[in-house]
Amino acid sequence: MYDLIIKNARVVDGTGEPAFSGAVAVSGGRIVALGNDLNGDARNVVDAGGLVLAPGFIDSHTHFDAQITWDGLATPSLEHGVTTVINGNCSLTMAPVRAQHREFVGAVFRQIEEMPAAAFDAGMRWNWETFDEYLATFREHLGINVATLAGHSMLRLWVMGDAARERCATEEEVAQMQQLLRECLDAGALGLSTSWVDIDHEHRPVPCRLAAPEELDALCAVLGEYGAVMQVVPEFWDPDLLCVRIDILGELSRRHGITVTFSPLFDSNATPQIVERALDRVRLQTLHGAHVVPQMQTRPIDVTFEFDVPTSVFSTRPTWWAIILKPHAETLRDFQDPELRKQLLEEAYNAMHPIAIEVHFPDFVVNRCHLAHNKPLEGRPLRDIAAERDCDPVELMLDLAVEEDLKTCFSALSVGHDNLERITGPITDPLVQIGSGDGGAHVTRFATYGDTGYLFSRFVREAGALSLEQAVYKLTGQVSRNWGLVERGRIRPGLAADLVLFDPDTIDRGPEIAVEDLPAEGYRFVRRARGVEQVYVNGVLAYSAADGYSEERGGRIVAGPKVAA
Amino acid sequence: MNATIEPQRPWVYPQEGDDWQSIAAREFPGRTVEDAVADLQSWNLYLVFRPAPAMMTCSDIVFTGPPPT
């Protein structure tokens, strides 16, 4: 007797092959049979009613490293059909970290991934140091599969201490990092992550950026021993720098026989040729035997901000930046200073756009108001409100922020990666993997969930740029192939029963909403899913649209190809 | 296919302890350091304008030639 049969489904198996009508049988957490005419008894029989049954989606660029320690479901990933998340990107991981470095690592993580400090501090019960100990804290509580990279910055910090932030490593230190990386991989790390761009909370380069090229090469040699993957953040806003980095990654890939992936590959009005140039370089490297995988997110860039916290929207406007960095009372004071106001308006209208995004202040939308009488302004662009009130939109924003003690949230919508004419081709390119979603990060700035649903709604249904089967492949089989997740990403006998049942005509992301479900009553932006009916993780029903999240925990730690989970 | 892939622009990694002057002297031995630094900086504005305390690191890219025309 099977544990589960899902029958009457439109099975899309994650390989890109045409769908077929049939059934899938599951036993012991594995797919054991599938076909048009599957017979047999099962403890649980689900009639899919003609809905699509696909492999569970794999979200390859997430930062649930902290959240997973208090939320074994990595919410809201599951409801979007995601059954595996890959954490530990961009050189930042919660292990291996010595106790004396927890404060520093926590501060860096909160700064770069824009996580509320109160939630981080309340949620993290930091009682581990090694990678093995870290995984052990949540291994038994997972409702979703979790793969985790080992962060290059953390390896340096472990071996070199504070010197990791100051200098290159010695040969001996590099050898120690190599051994530490082996220990992480043996414990279940999926690979290595590093960054060429991130800065910490003190505006200094994160530790991995102090590495000489020989150090990264030595670590890639270890990845080659394990068949593991490296993820990198390159200078994604500069075409010339990005192409150099692609060449570097190609060389590392060829020399060590590894897959290297970089994220993000962003389109921008400031550099409209960047995606095309980057893909040309990836194609060249691929022709020469490298496996370099660019990751693109499906969604446009939205940024939501409030003036008590610095945000990239103001990074090229020095007066704004300086004022926002001041203590609350001084920011309030300066926003009301007539002379400073003149400077703020001048910069608002005439300064350079920030990296990778294009912001026009009058187009900002009032996202959330603190005072009841201002609530009717929510959802409205500054431009429209200012026209009604016969005032300048930027002055309006400042007045509103001051009135609300800087508690107003504003949104800069579609400020990048929103030119569908330029993006659609690359999204559908066989070399490009869907990723860079950043789930778990930037939670008080924008919702990093729902890219999977948006792929179907925007690029399958609206644009017709991808078939249903191709879209499913890009979220499953392609990702599992790139990352060496050999047991997932396809519906095949013997593979893990990570499955999602969805309506292809309605699957989508919902609107961005604020929810207060973080520790210490913090809020974050999320999107609910549309059109996802059921999600199974290793054969366990983890989520259903009818009943929400299940109490059962079927998630596993997903390790690299050489190590069993 | 094993042919060497030519870079689109010439570049180097900084060595530990490098500054503009030392890179200029090493990469352009036939030129005055002052002139070479001026060119290097014009080709690497992202490093010139990198806000303090961030510094040039051994993992940075320093272009040693202009953008392709």
Side-chain angles (χ1 to χ4, degrees), chain A residues 165 167-168 196 202-205 209-213 240-241 243-245 247-248 254 277 281 284-285 287-288, chain B residues 1-9 11 13 16 46 50-55 57-61 63 67-68:
Chain A
R165 304 175 69 197
R167 60 170 174 83
C168 296
W196 283 312
E202 296 174 358
H203 300 280
R204 294 169 63 181
R209 289 183 56 200
L210 281 296
D240 286 357
L241 285 169
C243 286
V244 170
R245 295 301 189 186
D247 287 348
I248 292 168
R254 275 189 298 275
R277 279 192 60 190
R281 210 66 189 168
L284 183 63
Q285 290 295 338
L287 280 173
H288 282 74
Chain B
M1 188 182 291
N2 271 327
T4 302
I5 301 173
E6 285 300 314
Q8 292 182 325
R9 279 178 78 177
W11 62 273
Y13 285 116
E16 191 157 31
Y46 85 102
R50 179 174 283 176
M55 62 286 201
T57 71
C58 293
S59 65
D60 280 323
I61 303 298
F63 289 113

Side-chain angles (χ1 to χ4, degrees), chain A residues 343-359:
Chain A
Q343 190 60 28
L344 290 173
L345 258 68
E346 163 66 24
E347 288 180 8
Y349 290 108
N350 297 316
M352 280 170 51
H353 292 300
I355 286 172
I357 59 177
E358 189 173 310
V359 294

